[in-house]
Amino acid sequence: MGKQRLKTLREDKRFRIASYVFHFFVFPCVINFCINQFFIDTNPGVGITMFASGYIFSYILALLINALLTAITTSSFATAVTFGAVAYVFSAAQDIKISMADNPVYLSDLHFFKSFGNTIGDVIAESSMGEIIAEMALQLVEYGVIITVFCLLSWLMRFRLKYLKGGIYVGAASLAVLLFFSLPVKPFTDFTLNVFFKYDERTSDYPTTSLKYYKRYGVISGMYGQATESRIYKPDDYDTDELDGILGAAADKADDSFTGNWGDVNIIMVFSESFWDINQTGEFAFSKELTGNFDRLSEIGQTFNMISPTFGGLSSNSEYEVFTGSNLAFYSPGFIPYTQMYTDPSYEGTPNFFDVLQD
């Protein structure tokens, strides 16, 4: 009798509608809540104003991911279990990374999986994993129970999508909106950042840490915002040929006639971002020398200038190329060496700044 009643209930139109509402709207809300609350509970010292618009966007992204997974699996229960498990493991991994590196998980951290067998495995092995897990044990139990309960509810209210009817429509619609949010098209990203992240309304004291950023806007939307706001677009007046000409002219004028022996030397490297030079700010006057020591050292020593003729070079990338001799053009777009790992054994013999000095 119990099975027959459940079958009759499941065939009821109102129950089916309730199942759709639960799966497509309630379950993503629960997952989004668990991810955000896990982060807040395990990082109580991060105090900052939370923006409702960011958390709404975080829920929208969770809803779209859930819908896309449903279109792929065609099963509401399979999607719930998959999404719930991924959210649970992700929350734990995020807290582990914060404990080890004081930074949350970034989208660009996907590159880390390439070196999981060696470097990441070594880092985890050398860390106090027992203590880290013990510190978040309460959250692991609490949110594990919540996700498990809602997965069981999903099993009771399960349904399947048919590809030719619901599956294609649901998948295409969710994928289209996700592409709208993720494509590197400036008008699209400007719209999203201004609507949900209040990008143009921020005051000058906005800059903050990544942990505060994630708490301000939510974890999922924080990952999106961190990746989107750090995206660099090609300037309208950027001309590769013009820069090649400038570099060619500089090379023609270069003085490479020194043939002596420098002996033991001290080397000072100064990164002058965006061709910035305090001496070139003619509209300002200073009552004393601001870079007097540097100017004197430049006059008595050998001075060399190096230009990186690219937009979006980023300080860390320029430093990395100078010190290692490895061109970042060979890596995936968005690779940032100071937050990712350079551990491939095939690169151990790459010429670098320190080898040259030692020779």
Side-chain angles (χ1 to χ4, degrees):
M1 288 294 293
K3 291 183 178 180
Q4 184 61 36
R5 287 181 180 179
L6 181 60
K7 182 179 179 181
T8 302
L9 179 64
R10 289 173 56 80
E11 292 175 350
D12 186 273
K13 184 177 180 180
R14 289 172 297 181
F15 183 81
R16 286 166 56 193
I17 293 174
S19 298
Y20 294 149
V21 172
F22 171 82
H23 178 72
F24 287 111
F25 296 97
V26 177
F27 188 77
C29 181
V30 172
I31 293 298
N32 185 53
F33 167 80
C34 289
I35 292 174
N36 286 324
Q37 204 60 38
F38 195 108
F39 172 76
I40 292 172
D41 289 349
T42 52
N43 296 279
V46 180
I48 199 165
T49 303
M50 297 157 67
F51 278 34
S53 58
Y55 282 79
I56 291 173
F57 185 57
S58 186
Y59 167 64
I60 292 173
L61 292 176
L63 185 151
L64 292 170
I65 294 170
N66 181 73
L68 185 59
L69 284 174
T70 306
I72 294 172
T73 65
T74 72
S75 168
S76 64
F77 178 62
T79 298
V81 171
T82 301
F83 200 10
V86 170
Y88 185 74
V89 172
F90 166 78
S91 295
Q94 167 128 277
D95 193 65
I96 290 172
K97 187 189 176 190
I98 293 171
S99 298
M100 293 192 302
D102 201 32
N103 275 310
V105 173
Y106 303 126
L107 287 177
S108 58
D109 285 338
L110 292 175
H111 294 287
F112 277 134
F113 288 108
K114 297 177 181 178
S115 60
F116 187 85
N118 43 57
T119 303
I120 295 183
D122 293 339
V123 170
I124 292 176
E126 295 172 3
S127 302
S128 302
M129 292 299 297
E131 295 179 6
I132 295 175
I133 293 175
E135 289 177 356
M136 60 175 173
L138 178 62
Q139 287 75 27
L140 287 173
V141 173
E142 181 178 355
Y143 296 107
V145 170
I146 294 174
I147 292 175
T148 300
V149 168
F150 275 86
C151 283
L152 291 174
L153 288 174
S154 178
W155 180 80
L156 293 173
M157 307 179 75
R158 65 191 181 278
F159 61 86
R160 297 193 74 90
L161 289 179
K162 294 182 179 179
Y163 272 119
L164 294 179
K165 290 185 178 180
I168 293 178
Y169 297 142
V170 171
S174 55
L175 183 60
V177 180
L178 282 171
L179 286 175
F180 172 82
F181 288 138
S182 60
L183 285 177
V185 180
K186 199 171 188 302
F188 293 173
T189 55
D190 284 350
F191 170 82
T192 306
L193 290 176
N194 284 320
V195 170
F196 298 106
F197 295 81
K198 310 301 179 185
Y199 190 75
D200 288 342
E201 299 177 16
R202 296 175 186 169
T203 56
S204 58
D205 63 346
Y206 173 74
T208 185
T209 66
S210 294
L211 291 179
K212 290 182 178 179
Y213 186 91
Y214 276 39
K215 185 172 181 181
R216 182 187 291 268
Y217 293 113
V219 174
I220 300 177
S221 51
M223 293 177 67
Y224 170 90
Q226 189 276 337
T228 303
E229 289 195 38
S230 61
R231 185 179 289 155
I232 300 170
Y233 296 93
K234 181 178 179 179
D236 295 334
D237 57 351
Y238 183 78
D239 188 338
T240 304
D241 293 335
E242 180 182 357
L243 286 171
D244 286 341
I246 294 173
L247 291 176
D252 292 339
K253 296 178 181 178
D255 182 6
D256 194 23
S257 58
F258 182 77
T259 58
N261 187 342
W262 288 347
D264 294 330
V265 298
N266 293 316
I267 297 176
I268 300 173
M269 184 177 293
V270 178
F271 285 87
S272 182
E273 299 204 27
S274 301
F275 305 107
W276 184 84
D277 184 351
I278 195 67
N279 294 318
Q280 303 300 318
T281 53
E283 63 269 32
F284 298 103
F286 303 98
S287 59
K288 62 179 181 180
E289 288 184 298
L290 299 182
T291 57
N293 189 47
F294 171 75
D295 293 337
R296 284 188 292 273
L297 290 173
S298 300
E299 292 174 0
I300 65 175
Q302 294 286 340
T303 303
F304 306 90
N305 292 320
M306 184 187 74
I307 300 176
S308 176
T310 59
F311 66 91
L314 300 179
S315 300
S316 60
N317 291 1
S318 300
E319 294 169 11
Y320 184 80
E321 289 189 341
V322 169
F323 290 143
T324 67
S326 180
N327 191 333
L328 287 173
F330 296 114
Y331 297 89
S332 302
F335 184 86
I336 301 176
Y338 284 177
T339 60
Q340 293 162 312
M341 298 181 179
Y342 180 72
T343 58
D344 192 329
S346 62
Y347 287 96
E348 289 181 354
T350 302
N352 61 74
F353 186 69
F354 305 104
D355 286 343
V356 173
L357 290 178
Q358 192 171 23
D359 292 339

